[in-house]
Amino acid sequence: MRRTAEPYKIKAVEPLTMLNRGEREEALKRAGYNTFLLDSEDVYIDLLTDSGTNAMSDKQWGALMMGDEAYAGSKSWYKLERAVQDLFGYDYVIPTHQGRGAENLLSQMKIQPGDYIPGNMYFTTTRAHQEMNGGTFVDVIIDEAHDPSAELDFKGNVDLVKLEELIDEVGADKIPYVCVAVTVNMAGGQPVSLANLKETYTLCQEHGIDVMFDATRCVENAYFIQEREEGQQNRPIKDIVRDMFKFSDGCTMSGKKDPLVNIGGFLAMNDFELYTRARELVVVYEGMPSYGGMAGRDMEAMAQGMYESIDDAYIEHRIKQVRYLGEQLMEAGVPVVRPIGGHAVYLDAKAFLSHLDREMFPSQSLAAALYLDSGVRSMERGIVSAGRNKETCEHNVPKLEMVRLTIPRRVYTNSHMDVVADSVINLYNKREQIKGLSMDYEPPTLRFFNARFSPLKSTLIANEA
C-alpha cells in the first residue's frame, strides 16, 4: 500500500525547544509530578489534550476577521447557529464558552437530587456536574469496554440490558436523560455503532427518557461507523453524522475538539421548553444567548471549522495519524488499549507498570516518567482521575488505569509521533526501574488537575539518580 501525506500544507510554524534532562527534572519537581502543572514552554511535544490545541486553517483565520462583536444579535452567532442546525439537525442552539459550560446548564435544568444518569462510561467534568446537582452516574457501557485488550469494533456501545435493568430498578421518572458519549473518551476513544444508537434511543423513547449526546468527538465516531459498520462504507461522513444525531434529543458540544477551534461550545436540543429555560440560565453563567461566553470571531471560526471537520480526507488522516502511533507501540509489545481509538493512544499503565500497586498511582508515575525521558507531556487517566467515593471517601478504582497520548488536530507530523513512540518504547524496556508516587496535595474536586505528588523513592526512575 502506498503511503499518503497530510491533506494540508504548512503555512506557519511555531519553534519547539527541548529542555535538557536536568532542566526537565527540575520542571517536573516544580509541577509536583503532575503534567497538568507543567509550563507549556517546558514541554517538547504536548499530548496532554486535544482540547483547544488544534491548528486552525487559513479559512478559519480569515473568518476571525469577520467576527461581529455585537453584544446582542451578532451576525456571527447566526452563522454558528445555522451550521449546528445544518450538520446535526437540532432545532435550538445555546452557545457556551466551552463544553463544560453546556454540561453545567444541562445538569442544572434536568437533574434533581436523587436522580440517576446512565452513561456509556463516566467523564470527569460531566460526572462532576451531575453529582453537584444531586445526581448519581451509573455506567451502562458494555463490559468489554473495561478490558483494554478486548478487540471489538464498537467498545463504546450502551449495554441495553444494563440500561433496562436500571430503568426497572429506579423507575423512568428518576432518570432525566441518558448521556451517550460519541466517542467514549475514558474507554480509549472508542466509538458507538449507529445500530446501538438507534436501539438505545428506541428503548428510551418507550420509557419517556431523553437521550443527550456528548458530541465532542462525533465526527471521529462517524469515521469508525463508515469504516466498520455494515452498509455504511462509502457514505459521506456528513451523512453519517446527521444520521447519528437523529437518535438523540440534544447534545453538549466542546468546540475545542472536532470543531477545530481553541475555545467555544454549545448546548443543542429539540425541546422548546428546555430551550427557553436554557436561554434564561445561560445569561447567568455564560452571557447573552447570542454569544454565550464566546467572542464573535470565535463563533465565525467554529462555524467554519465544523464544516472542515466533516471533510472525508481530513478525518481519515486524523484517525490514521493516531493509529500510526498506536501501531508502532503495539509492534514493540507495549500494552495499549485496543483497538486504537479516535483521538488518542492509551497506554495500559496497569500492565505497563505491573510492579506498582494502584495506590502508587501507576498512570501518574508513567506520565511523569515519559516527560522526564523525552519532554513529551501526556495525561493520567486512572485512579487519580476517578477521584474518591463521596460516601466512603475511598479511592474510586476504575478497571482501566491509563496514560493518554492525545493527538491535537493538524498540529504534529508523523515524525513527532516517531519521537513519542521511541520514548514510550524506551521506558517500557526499563519499566521495572520506574517507581511510584505519593499524593502530597489532593483537591476535593477534579483532583487530577491540581494534585501534587512526590516519588516514593529518592528518584522517579531508579537507575537515573
Side-chain angles (χ1 to χ4, degrees), residues 12-74:
V13 296
E14 178 182 347
L16 296 175
T17 303
M18 181 190 280
L19 302 182
N20 63 40
R21 176 68 179 228
E23 291 170 331
R24 295 198 299 274
E25 189 166 10
E26 287 302 312
L28 197 56
K29 289 179 181 177
R30 289 195 303 271
Y33 293 83
N34 185 344
T35 53
F36 275 95
L37 301 180
L38 289 166
D39 290 337
S40 174
E41 63 182 1
D42 294 334
V43 174
Y44 179 45
I45 298 175
D46 201 343
L47 305 186
L48 183 74
T49 182
D50 61 332
S51 178
T53 57
N54 307 303
M56 293 202 303
S57 70
D58 52 354
K59 290 184 178 180
Q60 285 181 287
W61 283 106
L64 291 178
M65 300 304 297
M66 302 297 292
D68 176 6
E69 305 303 343
Y71 187 80
S74 164

Side-chain angles (χ1 to χ4, degrees), residues 374-442:
S374 60
V376 173
R377 174 157 63 172
S378 58
M379 178 192 292
E380 184 272 354
R381 276 294 178 240
I383 193 170
V384 178
S385 292
R388 290 186 183 271
N389 184 294
K390 60 184 179 181
E391 295 178 356
T392 67
C393 294
E394 297 293 324
H395 291 298
N396 291 320
V397 183
K399 293 181 180 179
L400 295 174
E401 184 74 31
M402 306 176 294
V403 169
R404 192 179 80 177
L405 306 172
T406 330
I407 317 302
R409 297 163 183 81
R410 304 190 297 203
V411 172
Y412 294 116
T413 68
N414 282 357
S415 293
H416 293 99
M417 300 301 102
D418 293 338
V419 172
V420 176
D422 288 348
S423 180
V424 173
I425 293 167
N426 175 56
L427 288 174
Y428 187 64
N429 289 336
K430 58 181 181 182
R431 54 193 179 277
E432 295 290 339
Q433 299 166 16
I434 300 175
K435 306 305 176 184
L437 297 170
S438 61
M439 190 181 296
D440 300 331
Y441 167 68
E442 180 179 354

Side-chain angles (χ1 to χ4, degrees), residues 76-95:
S76 301
W77 153 242
Y78 292 116
K79 186 175 292 187
L80 175 59
E81 182 185 45
R82 286 193 298 271
V84 174
Q85 292 169 337
D86 177 30
L87 296 179
F88 302 139
Y90 293 124
D91 294 329
Y92 309 111
V93 189
I94 295 291

